[in-house]
Amino acid sequence: MGAALASLEVAFGLDGLYCPRCGRVIFDDEISWDESTCPHVRFVRDWVGELWIAEPASVPAHQHAYQSWLAARLEGGLQELSIGDLAHRLPDSCLLLTVAEPGPRRDRGGATVTVALDLDPTAEAR
Ligand SMILES: [Zn+2]
């Protein structure tokens, strides 16, 4: 098994993305991600390729191992890692969501955001 994969294509941009577990904002027009927004986010690669990774020390103790692996692996570049391989290495409780936006943002060098969430009820980061 591994993480569930989902991909969306949003024709005219995405005003906001909200966690399916807690309903808190992951990002919107004004807020970008950190532990103070949604505690289920494990990493976000944004429209321009910038990567944010949850600190392994800030996730529950039983998730330190995979979050440490994830942080180390992502430092090598997400583009060098297939989403399928990544999903296979993450727990079943994870969701890997890719949102693609055709149109203007693609011209600015990035049109895809990738978000990894751990939706386990005990997955809230501290
Ligand atoms: Zn959440």
Side-chain angles (χ1 to χ4, degrees):
M1 289 291 290
L5 291 170
S7 58
L8 302 171
E9 188 167 301
V10 183
F12 299 104
L14 188 63
D15 293 334
L17 183 66
Y18 299 86
C19 175
R21 168 62 68 188
C22 70
R24 288 178 229 169
V25 66
I26 296 171
F27 64 81
D28 65 15
D29 284 345
E30 299 176 6
I31 298 173
S32 61
W33 43 88
D34 63 33
E35 286 98 345
S36 68
T37 55
C38 167
H40 300 102
V41 176
R42 294 301 175 258
F43 78 85
V44 177
R45 181 183 172 273
D46 73 8
W47 304 106
V48 294
E50 199 163 309
L51 188 64
W52 179 86
I53 307 168
E55 288 293 327
S58 70
V59 304
H62 67 283
Q63 298 178 346
H64 284 183
Y66 94 75
Q67 188 65 28
S68 294
W69 173 84
L70 187 62
R73 187 62 186 85
L74 292 179
E75 288 173 4
L78 183 60
Q79 67 279 2
E80 297 171 12
L81 189 63
S82 108
I83 288 291
D85 288 345
L86 181 58
H88 185 70
R89 296 290 302 265
L90 293 177
D92 293 357
S93 56
C94 284
L95 170 66
L96 266 174
L97 175 63
T98 300
V99 181
E101 179 187 352
R105 288 193 191 195
R106 185 158 286 171
D107 298 335
R108 295 200 303 257
T112 302
V113 63
T114 304
V115 178
L117 300 163
D118 193 322
L119 302 177
D120 184 289
T122 64
E124 290 204 8
R126 286 175 273 151

